[in-house]
Amino acid sequence: MLARAARVIAYDRAMHIVITHNEPGAGLAWQRELSRRLPDLQISIDPGCPDGAAGLPGTRSHPASAELASADIAIGWKPPADFFSRHSRLQAFFSTGAGVDHLLRHPGLPAGLTIIRLEDAGMGPLMADYCLHELLRIAGRHDAYAAQQRDRCWQELPAFSREDLPVGIVGVGVLGAQVGAHLARAGFTVRGFARSAKSIEGVEVMHGDRAWPAFLAASRVLILLAPHTPQTDKLIDAAALRLLQPQGWLINVARGALVVEADLIAELDSGRLAGATLDVFRQEPLPASDPLWHHRAVRITPHVSAPTQIGPSAEQIAGKIGALRRGERCSGQVDSQRGY
Ligand code: NAP
Ligand code: GLV
């Protein structure tokens, strides 16, 4: 895979980059940021995405369709259904997010296409602050006080100490490791769970199927930061949630598909689980009819725990394209068998 990517991009002819992004405005923003950093390359917006009819004036942003078909590299998020059939000579795809499930589940994805993801690119500190903020809210009983305020009730409740709230993080890769270290520095006891052994300052990392029940049993607040893969789909079901310490919390900042929503609601309704903070959902936007919207113990944010930071991300991608053009390796290449 590495050799393929390094070989692919060292073309003699000028490289053509195509941007595809499902959000209006994002295609143009990426074109602007990348054109500044890669001024010698042709950078187009795919006509099949919302910004496809637009483009930077003065750039070669409206190539004829024959040229578009010869794009060498794609950069983007959630390409349209016919994207890969229109870009048949594509050699690499840079995801404008850390996750690549939007690509690996694309029915038209060509086998063997090199996929490169964002690595941190400014998301780590945001994710770490989001999780710390949630933990401090839990510790300070802020949900209970918000409910009391609605009832005009003045009643002091015992706060939780750091020791009361041992944290378990499922997935301690680029982002999970930063979250873990941040929470540990803030005085929480933090364990991580990954597929392989690793060392993170202040965090005990467990791995392997046999360690899974013990990891859950040691956690009262469970943070999800693993990718969505066939192995993590529905990983957090009733059985997993029941292994958590009593009156636990779930913080899902990974992907909604990791959680069995009906089981989560049942655990919250039974009172075994005290609350959940959900930033991600199996279907996004979360449908208005979804019961999670109205659950008293659920906090919802619209997939904003660590938004892509376009400046640092464009800088990272431009740096990697430069490395590949020089025939060097670059990090962040996805193992499509593994799923991340
Ligand atoms: P990463 O560096 O690839 O880390 C993934 C971690 O998950 C690794 O520690 C990996 O274990 C672990 N893992 C993989 N499969 C697992 C399994 N079956 N059981 C337990 N652990 C497993 O990814 P990242 O950059 O930290 O990003 C993680 C995820 O966060 C992304 O895939 C994305 O879904 C999500 N995300 C969400 C937002 C948001 O705004 N909500 C923003 C960015 C990213 P090994 O270390 O052993 O390989
Ligand atoms: C966001 O969800 C990402 O994967 O970067």
Side-chain angles (χ1 to χ4, degrees), residues 117 172-175 195-196 198 225 227 253 255 279 305-306 340:
R117 70 189 195 89
V172 277
V174 171
L175 299 179
R195 288 173 74 230
S196 54
K198 53 195 78 250
L225 257 170
V253 283
R255 287 292 183 264
D279 183 51
S305 51
Y340 67 102

Side-chain angles (χ1 to χ4, degrees), residues 40-332:
D40 60 325
L41 298 184
Q42 177 182 339
I43 303 178
S44 312
I45 302 178
D46 180 62
C49 76
D51 291 356
L56 280 179
T59 67
R60 285 174 292 165
S61 57
H62 297 284
S65 54
E67 280 179 277
L68 266 185
S70 69
D72 305 295
I73 293 183
I75 298 175
W77 188 256
K78 296 188 179 170
D82 61 348
F83 179 79
F84 293 105
S85 60
R86 281 184 287 108
H87 295 283
S88 53
R89 288 174 54 186
L90 207 60
Q91 311 262 12
F93 197 117
F94 284 83
S95 170
T96 56
V100 290
D101 42 340
H102 64 108
L103 292 173
L104 295 179
R105 279 174 181 69
H106 192 294
L109 182 76
L113 179 68
T114 296
I115 297 174
I116 302 166
R117 70 189 195 89
L118 285 182
E119 298 169 284
D120 185 355
M123 287 185 278
L126 298 175
M127 192 63 97
D129 276 350
Y130 181 100
C131 293
L132 178 59
H133 177 257
E134 285 307 298
L135 273 166
L136 295 177
R137 285 188 53 264
I138 292 166
R141 310 291 299 266
H142 287 275
D143 283 339
Y145 289 131
Q148 286 188 187
Q149 184 178 348
R150 283 192 292 273
D151 298 338
R152 302 179 198 192
C153 167
W154 182 279
Q155 188 191 347
E156 190 176 338
L157 302 169
F160 294 118
S161 71
R162 303 287 206 263
E163 291 72 37
D164 294 329
L165 297 170
V167 179
I169 305 177
V170 184
V172 277
V174 171
L175 299 179
Q178 288 186 64
V179 171
H182 195 56
L183 300 180
R185 281 194 297 272
F188 289 92
T189 301
V190 186
R191 290 180 185 78
F193 188 86
R195 288 173 74 230
S196 54
K198 53 195 78 250
S199 157
I200 301 166
E201 196 172 344
V203 180
E204 180 195 347
V205 181
M206 304 166 81
H207 71 282
D209 290 349
R210 283 171 51 195
W212 178 239
F215 164 76
L216 292 173
S219 308
R220 186 163 181 194
V221 181
L222 190 69
I223 298 178
L224 304 184
L225 257 170
H228 181 212
T229 67
Q231 288 70 41
T232 62
D233 190 75
K234 301 186 179 140
L235 179 70
I236 305 302
D237 57 5
L241 292 170
R242 284 178 193 177
L243 282 173
L244 295 178
Q245 293 188 2
Q247 291 287 290
W249 276 266
L250 177 72
I251 299 177
N252 188 5
V253 283
R255 287 292 183 264
L258 270 61
V259 178
V260 181
E261 183 181 311
D263 289 5
L264 171 64
I265 291 174
E267 290 307 299
L268 290 166
D269 287 345
S270 75
R272 278 187 291 269
L273 202 61
T277 298
L278 306 175
D279 183 51
V280 286
F281 302 87
R282 191 171 281 272
Q283 188 182 341
E284 295 182 4
L286 185 64
S289 58
D290 197 293
L292 288 172
W293 279 116
H294 303 292
H295 202 288
R296 54 165 182 82
V298 174
R299 268 167 61 83
I300 288 175
T301 52
H303 201 141
V304 291
S305 51
T308 294
Q309 305 297 293
I310 190 161
S313 303
E315 193 72 24
Q316 183 177 103
I317 291 174
K320 289 182 180 184
I321 289 174
L324 294 173
R325 288 173 91 190
R326 294 189 298 274
E328 297 166 8
R329 290 180 165 209
C330 78
S331 59

